[in-house]
Amino acid sequence: IILNPDIEFRPEIISIILNFMEAHKDVGQLLPKVVYPTGKIQYLCKMLPTPLDLICKRFLPQNLMDKRMAKFQLKFTGYDQIMNVPYLSGCFMFFRVSALKQVGLFDERFLCIRKILI
């Protein structure tokens, strides 16, 4: 588990995740549904961004990007189902060790940047 220090979860969540991972041997990484303290969903599952997504998000007003960002963040799913998602947020990552051994650990350049920012 790699977890941000400000994440809170119910004690039974780890058991639920472990049971799911045991039942689904093909899953290498899992991100549970994450909500704000108010209960509002944090849209942390995303499609892979295209160069156009990155440019538009940076330079266009947010209201012009709302529809595209909703699709990018998979909001249409309602986040009420199990999904196979290409890009997961790093706030709560549960990895299968064999998957990490197969693909490798984090890019050390990213880790160095994070250390500077923290």
Side-chain angles (χ1 to χ4, degrees):
I1 296 176
I2 298 176
L3 188 66
N4 282 4
D6 61 343
I7 298 292
E8 296 179 13
F9 54 90
R10 297 185 320 264
E12 68 272 14
I13 292 297
I14 300 299
S15 294
I16 292 168
I17 290 171
L18 284 170
N19 290 336
F20 181 87
M21 294 294 275
E22 281 299 314
H24 300 87
K25 300 287 186 184
D26 60 324
V27 175
Q29 180 186 2
L30 183 142
L31 169 72
K33 183 177 185 178
V34 179
V35 297
Y36 291 103
T38 62
K40 183 179 176 188
I41 297 171
Q42 292 192 35
Y43 296 102
L44 302 176
C45 299
K46 298 177 176 71
M47 301 301 291
L48 292 175
T50 66
L52 180 63
D53 291 323
L54 299 173
I55 291 167
C56 291
K57 184 178 178 188
R58 175 78 173 137
F59 296 108
L60 293 179
Q62 182 180 351
N63 62 336
L64 294 178
M65 291 297 298
D66 284 347
K67 187 175 178 182
R68 187 169 185 94
M69 292 312 309
K71 182 178 178 184
F72 174 70
Q73 295 173 333
L74 303 169
K75 289 183 179 182
F76 62 89
T77 67
Y79 278 63
D80 58 357
Q81 58 190 300
I82 295 170
M83 302 183 287
N84 185 6
V85 178
Y87 172 31
L88 299 173
S89 169
C91 69
F92 188 130
M93 296 182 284
F94 192 99
F95 290 101
R96 185 176 305 281
V97 173
S98 60
L100 280 176
K101 287 180 178 178
Q102 183 179 355
V103 299
L105 297 174
F106 294 103
D107 185 327
E108 289 190 24
R109 294 173 296 173
F110 173 76
L111 293 175
C112 292
I113 291 169
R114 292 283 298 166
K115 288 178 186 175
I116 292 168
L117 295 176
I118 296 174

